[in-house]
Amino acid sequence: MMNLAQQLQEQAKKLLEEKKVDLVIGFGQGTELARNTPVFIDSPEGVSALTWGPFCANNLAKYLSDYNNAPGGTAVVVKGCDARSVNRLLDDNQILREKVVVIGVPCPGQLEWQKVSAEIKPGSTLKEVVDNGDSYTVKTDSGDYSFSKKDYLLHRCLVCENPNPVISDITIGKELPVKNYEERFAEVQDLEKLAVNEKSAYWDKQFTRCLRCYACRNVCSVCTCEVCVFDQMMPMWVSKRTNLSENTAFHITRAFHVAGRCVDCGECDRVCPMDIPLRKLNVKIHKDLGDLFNSPTPGTEPGLISPLGGFSPGDPEEFM
Amino acid sequence: MESRVVNKGQISELLDKLAKDYNLFAPVKDETMTLFRRVSGAQDVLLDYNNSDISPKGCFLPQNEKTFSYMYTGDSLEINKPEGAQKTVLFGARPCDIKAVLTFDPVFEGVKFGDEYYSSKRENSIIIGLSCTKVLSTCFCYAMGGGPCDITGSDLLLTEIGDKYYVEVITEKGQALVDAYSQIFAKQDTAQLAKDKDELAKKLSGEFVRKVDLTGVKELMDNNFELPYWSGDDQKKCISCGICTYVCPTCHCFDIFDYTTGDFTGDRIRCWDSCMYPEYTLEAGGHNPRPTRKERIRNRFMHKIKYHLDRYNMVGCVGCGRCVIKCPVNIDITKIINDLKEVAQNA
């Protein structure tokens, strides 16, 4: 039986050979054993670079809008969370359905590469990764290493809502059960319990560290503005100077701008070089959207109207 | 110059004294991060670390720096410059990051342009380096002419050996410091410690797993500005964030702007900028000479492996590995160097 990577390669090859797409965006081996990297394959001979495993953290749907104006179609490899991005991009008219082929892979969780890397002998070569349910065994030429999912998965994966892609033209692998999704608000609930000044102190501490590298914004699949307000010089809404006030203005504006559109892929949180727990801001907004508007996570189904992006004459206007 | 010994038990005393007599910058733990911060004493300092998440370059080139404040009152313009830098000690920096400071020197203290803000900090600073005790899988200082126990750029270099720090006095500034705190920097026979340090350096130099070789790469770049290589996956996957440049100990680009309160009073600020941002080269008329990620990526890596060499005869990378670790999409300078070397060989 073929492993998932081989199945992926075969499907990608077929799509390219039959000219259904000109490009396949997938994951390839990165420069660290426990790291994969986006690869862009434009010929059937190139598909051997495609891989799959628990080191595929990136949300590749982000790249789809780069190829809107390409003459041919684009295929993209997505996990469950990334598939929500595809729905969201379609709803925002950022991509054309007929130009995109979604290759969905049910995902049993992505590992934090640095934590894994720290345990493996430097310079080792990856042979195979085995999913044991509650843990992964990473087999290398320097021996086998075991990583419990509880301790080594990205936090977003521990409370995953959609291990199975919510939109998919070609699905590779078996459907997986949803686990621990009910615990998704635990962290936020802990924060909610704090007094206002304690919450403020918590976020002040986080935002003070911000370098304003804008990785959180740039990696975000629903950040699609052609010119971002933070890049405008005239007027300069937020100064280039970093300080708590400017940094807070950036983060709060960013969180609100994606409210109702954020698909909770957790990429902002993963890429932050200063470990600012950005996902907590978004999850709090998701919780409120659920509580106030009974709204599901954006992107979980196509055509969802965001509570903050829709208009209904029947809306109550309690605040007026 | 000479060498001395500090017992580990006395490091706290030393740090407390330095914090009293100088502005002391040292590595500290901030939640999950290791960062260089100004400290008030030994209690906050973390010396058991691999490499800080952000380099200590901010000691010499802060992310935000007021260059002067101004006030226009209708008939007069008043300019107030900040005072010169205070006496500072940068303690516990790794050899790669110290070597990186040397790459700043010709930029800010060059023949053509002197930068008083930088010079003032540099002149008033003493750098106490700390040899590495571990090599990470992302480290490649050896390939950039450095090493885990390299003395280059330090005024003093401390190397942890058992329950002692072996102290190499490298400059006159360093000499003055050990003489001023001679009760801590003990004069002892250091022959054995020197031998131990050499052995440590030798052991660590065998632990690098990244094979990086710059030979022939600059020569390829000299003659090939346009290479199909730059249109490859790296420019496709780059998300144009500023991580690589902000965590880089040798990146030193800055922007200057006025921060006004609406009237004619304000501050002129300079702050870090990043050549990875599309706005970086955007001209007033709307033209952008580096319009896509291809040109921007090429510029960043050419700066490291060619332009800095052309201008100052120094490689613009010290092999700290931070950009390799932090890049969200795994753009890796060591891979780029090796790929270019291959291109050069097949050309």
Side-chain angles (χ1 to χ4, degrees):
Chain A
M1 205 184 111
M2 283 192 290
N3 66 29
L4 295 177
Q6 286 165 330
Q7 292 179 44
L8 257 175
Q9 291 171 8
E10 189 175 79
Q11 291 294 342
K13 197 173 173 196
K14 223 171 122 193
L15 287 168
L16 288 161
E17 275 173 353
E18 292 171 2
K19 306 256 182 251
K20 289 201 174 135
V21 298
D22 286 346
L23 184 73
V24 178
I25 308 172
F27 296 96
Q29 178 61 46
T31 63
E32 289 279 312
L33 178 147
R35 235 186 147 180
N36 288 333
T37 186
V39 289
F40 300 77
I41 315 250
D42 56 10
S43 72
E45 300 78 53
V47 299
S48 60
L50 285 171
T51 187
W52 173 254
F55 306 126
C56 298
N58 299 57
N59 178 354
L60 303 180
K62 170 70 191 170
Y63 295 111
L64 284 175
S65 43
D66 287 349
Y67 296 93
N68 264 348
N69 297 322
T74 304
V76 64
V77 177
V78 296
K79 309 181 288 290
C81 47
D82 313 334
R84 294 196 294 264
S85 287
V86 177
N87 271 338
R88 193 56 240 174
L89 287 165
L90 288 169
D91 287 346
D92 279 344
N93 292 317
Q94 293 295 325
I95 51 172
L96 295 170
R97 185 68 188 93
E98 62 273 21
K99 287 186 77 175
V100 173
V101 176
V102 183
I103 307 176
V105 192
C107 168
Q110 296 296 318
L111 292 165
E112 261 188 72
W113 80 266
Q114 274 180 275
K115 264 173 141 179
V116 168
S117 213
E119 314 246 331
I120 293 176
K121 188 171 177 261
S124 304
T125 309
L126 182 66
K127 291 206 284 203
E128 190 190 0
V129 182
V130 182
D131 183 0
N132 311 311
D134 289 337
S135 68
Y136 284 111
T137 303
V138 176
K139 297 186 172 180
T140 78
D141 62 350
S142 67
D144 296 354
Y145 302 83
S146 180
F147 298 99
S148 71
K149 291 190 180 174
K150 188 167 66 68
D151 297 321
Y152 288 89
L153 281 193
L154 289 167
H155 184 263
R156 72 191 199 208
C157 301
L158 288 169
V159 290
C160 176
E161 178 177 8
N162 302 109
N164 306 300
V166 289
I167 177 172
S168 178
D169 299 311
I170 299 165
T171 306
I172 310 259
K174 282 196 203 115
E175 201 166 294
L176 295 165
V178 178
K179 288 180 192 167
N180 308 321
Y181 179 54
E182 65 286 355
E183 292 167 27
R184 68 196 179 282
F185 296 135
E187 272 192 329
V188 166
Q189 277 158 340
D190 287 346
L191 264 182
E192 283 175 335
K193 283 178 203 143
L194 299 178
V196 171
N197 60 340
E198 290 169 325
K199 279 182 204 163
S200 171
Y202 174 84
W203 285 109
D204 285 356
K205 192 159 191 287
Q206 306 301 328
F207 294 152
T208 299
R209 284 203 303 273
C210 176
L211 298 171
R212 298 262 295 286
C213 67
Y214 296 131
C216 51
R217 176 196 65 181
N218 291 14
V219 83
C220 177
S221 61
V222 301
C223 272
T224 47
C225 294
E226 289 214 355
V227 179
C228 175
V229 65
F230 303 115
D231 292 338
Q232 284 179 22
M233 305 304 269
M234 294 285 268
M236 192 182 263
W237 299 101
V238 173
S239 161
K240 261 193 172 174
R241 176 155 76 167
T242 55
N243 58 36
L244 179 58
S245 157
E246 306 283 355
N247 296 356
T248 304
F250 164 62
H251 283 291
I252 300 294
T253 309
R254 196 193 73 84
F256 271 96
H257 198 202
V258 298
R261 300 185 300 122
C262 164
V263 299
D264 193 22
C265 71
E267 280 289 86
C268 48
D269 199 289
R270 177 184 72 87
V271 303
C272 178
M274 300 304 274
D275 285 1
I276 301 173
L278 291 165
R279 198 172 149 260
K280 283 185 190 170
L281 285 177
N282 301 114
V283 171
K284 165 66 179 159
I285 292 172
H286 284 136
K287 183 170 178 289
D288 288 352
L289 288 174
D291 291 348
L292 296 168
F293 303 102
N294 199 21
S295 171
T297 308
T300 38
E301 44 193 277
L304 270 179
I305 292 173
S306 156
L308 306 176
F311 169 75
S312 156
D315 271 351
E317 293 179 346
E318 289 157 3
F319 56 92
M320 292 189 75
Chain B
M1 282 202 185
E2 63 172 320
S3 51
R4 306 238 181 149
V5 179
V6 175
N7 284 316
K8 270 195 182 164
Q10 281 184 290
I11 275 287
S12 295
E13 192 189 335
L14 174 65
L15 288 165
D16 285 340
K17 283 207 159 93
L18 288 172
K20 208 165 134 260
D21 299 343
Y22 295 88
N23 280 351
L24 177 63
F25 285 86
V28 297
K29 198 93 195 149
D30 180 345
E31 302 196 339
T32 52
M33 314 286 293
T34 307
L35 302 168
F36 277 83
R37 290 265 167 82
R38 170 115 190 253
V39 295
S40 58
Q43 69 281 358
D44 305 321
V45 179
L46 170 86
L47 292 181
D48 180 20
Y49 76 104
N50 291 321
N51 208 351
S52 56
D53 287 272
I54 305 296
S55 88
K57 72 175 172 185
C59 290
F60 306 100
L61 187 68
Q63 181 162 16
N64 308 277
E65 183 168 32
K66 182 163 91 176
T67 55
F68 59 82
S69 57
Y70 55 86
M71 191 163 71
Y72 182 65
T73 54
D75 47 20
S76 73
L77 176 68
E78 198 179 299
I79 303 246
N80 288 307
K81 281 191 175 185
E83 284 175 24
Q86 296 194 303
K87 286 197 305 174
T88 298
V89 167
L90 168 59
F91 188 94
R94 296 298 187 194
C96 55
D97 290 338
I98 296 167
K99 200 160 179 287
V101 177
L102 298 188
T103 68
F104 284 179
D105 287 346
V107 178
F108 293 101
E109 299 185 314
V111 185
K112 268 163 81 183
F113 306 104
D115 184 299
E116 59 186 287
Y117 305 98
Y118 178 84
S119 300
S120 170
K121 289 189 206 55
R122 193 77 171 91
E123 279 158 24
N124 286 292
S125 297
I126 300 171
I127 300 179
I128 305 182
L130 182 64
S131 291
C132 298
T133 51
K134 204 179 159 190
V135 170
L136 300 179
S137 67
T138 46
C139 291
F140 57 103
C141 60
Y142 78 98
M144 299 293 144
C149 306
D150 188 12
I151 61 168
T152 312
S154 290
D155 294 303
L156 298 176
L157 180 72
L158 272 55
T159 305
E160 188 183 341
I161 309 232
D163 59 354
K164 293 186 174 66
Y165 285 100
Y166 169 57
V167 183
E168 286 166 278
V169 182
I170 298 142
T171 64
E172 278 168 21
K173 268 188 194 173
Q175 185 68 52
L177 190 89
V178 295
D179 289 341
Y181 300 92
S182 55
Q183 70 282 23
I184 298 173
F185 291 100
K187 281 187 181 172
Q188 279 177 24
D189 179 10
T190 54
Q192 184 56 44
L193 289 171
K195 251 172 92 181
D196 291 344
K197 187 207 159 184
D198 285 347
E199 265 169 41
L200 174 72
K202 214 173 136 197
K203 178 180 127 346
L204 292 175
S205 69
E207 291 180 8
F208 289 96
V209 294
R210 268 165 201 269
K211 305 287 172 242
V212 188
D213 184 4
L214 273 175
T215 326
V217 174
K218 186 185 127 48
E219 290 70 21
L220 171 76
M221 299 286 99
D222 285 344
N223 301 311
N224 294 282
F225 184 66
E226 297 288 349
L227 279 178
Y229 179 75
W230 299 116
S231 303
D233 274 12
D234 282 334
Q235 61 94 12
K236 290 178 189 154
K237 66 189 176 186
C238 175
I239 58 166
S240 295
C241 74
I243 290 182
C244 52
T245 52
Y246 285 179
V247 302
C248 176
T250 68
C251 273
H252 52 262
C253 285
F254 56 81
D255 193 4
I256 296 175
F257 58 92
D258 289 347
Y259 196 82
T260 63
T261 45
D263 52 11
F264 297 105
T265 305
D267 296 332
R268 182 154 294 178
I269 306 285
R270 81 160 155 199
C271 63
W272 292 356
D273 204 351
S274 170
C275 61
M276 295 286 103
Y277 296 154
E279 306 77 42
Y280 179 83
T281 44
L282 184 62
E283 294 169 4
H287 175 64
N288 195 338
R290 293 188 204 131
T292 73
R293 300 189 293 232
K294 176 190 141 184
E295 291 86 11
R296 298 195 283 271
I297 288 210
R298 175 175 61 193
N299 176 70
R300 176 158 200 275
F301 293 103
M302 292 273 268
H303 199 160
K304 300 297 171 207
I305 56 186
K306 172 174 157 58
Y307 304 150
H308 214 77
L309 273 160
D310 287 342
R311 288 173 199 152
Y312 311 117
N313 200 24
M314 286 177 175
V315 191
C317 170
V318 293
C320 72
R322 285 189 184 86
C323 59
V324 176
I325 295 173
K326 299 277 189 183
C327 175
V329 298
N330 192 213
I331 293 173
D332 185 326
I333 186 168
T334 65
K335 181 178 183 297
I336 290 177
I337 291 171
N338 290 336
D339 287 351
L340 289 171
K341 194 175 158 62
E342 212 179 298
V343 175
Q345 275 165 353
N346 298 333

